Amino acid sequence: VSLWAKRLSGASFLLVLLGVVSYYNAMPVMFDELDPAQSHMLELEPGESGEVSLSNLGEYVALRVAGDDGQGAGLRLIDSLGAEESGSAPTAIDVERPGEDGTIYAPVRVFRTAPGGEYTLHNDASTTLWLVDDVAAQNALFKSGWFVMMFLGCCLGLPLGIVAVVLALVGRGQGKEV
């Protein structure tokens, strides 16, 4: 048990180290894909509207700069037949996201079940609105080798470390019984 605890703790350390080193190399790619100011489908100033094509498998999030607007979502998404797609309010998994320049973007409306097709998005509020496709951004991230190494290093290294600690504690308890 003690030998396996040592092996797993060493593997855990190397994986977490790989994850941390990869994190610093993956940051530029993460900002390129996740910063709404850099990667968006639409950017609408107050009162503007724009055409957008949505797919069935996308997850589309409307964002505004955090703290700028207290008047709700302030948007309308109208399909080609004139019907409005209401979307849903952001949930706990729809978190605020930082931009590369330090700006914090807050989700105001999420469209997870919108049927694919052509839509017109209207910005009815007094601040800028960004529409991003989270699924496309996530797919782009996993095409980056640094991001995959960071993901695997952190997601495998930490659980292996916990297993190593449990094995060390079990081995320590067995040593006392003998």
Side-chain angles (χ1 to χ4, degrees), residues 52-130:
V52 65
S53 180
L54 304 184
S55 71
N56 289 331
L57 299 176
E59 180 174 313
Y60 304 95
V61 181
L63 301 143
R64 295 190 188 281
V65 173
D68 276 0
D69 196 17
Q71 55 187 346
L75 60 87
R76 291 176 289 133
L77 185 65
I78 311 293
D79 68 10
S80 59
L81 300 174
E84 183 172 348
E85 178 65 38
S86 60
S88 63
T91 62
I93 62 171
D94 303 309
V95 296
E96 292 181 344
R97 52 188 85 179
E100 191 169 19
D101 61 354
T103 304
I104 303 295
Y105 299 90
V108 292
R109 183 68 62 201
V110 181
F111 302 95
R112 289 189 176 92
T113 58
E118 298 297 319
Y119 289 85
T120 302
L121 181 64
H122 300 271
N123 183 4
D124 298 329
S126 60
T127 60
T128 305
L129 176 74
W130 290 269

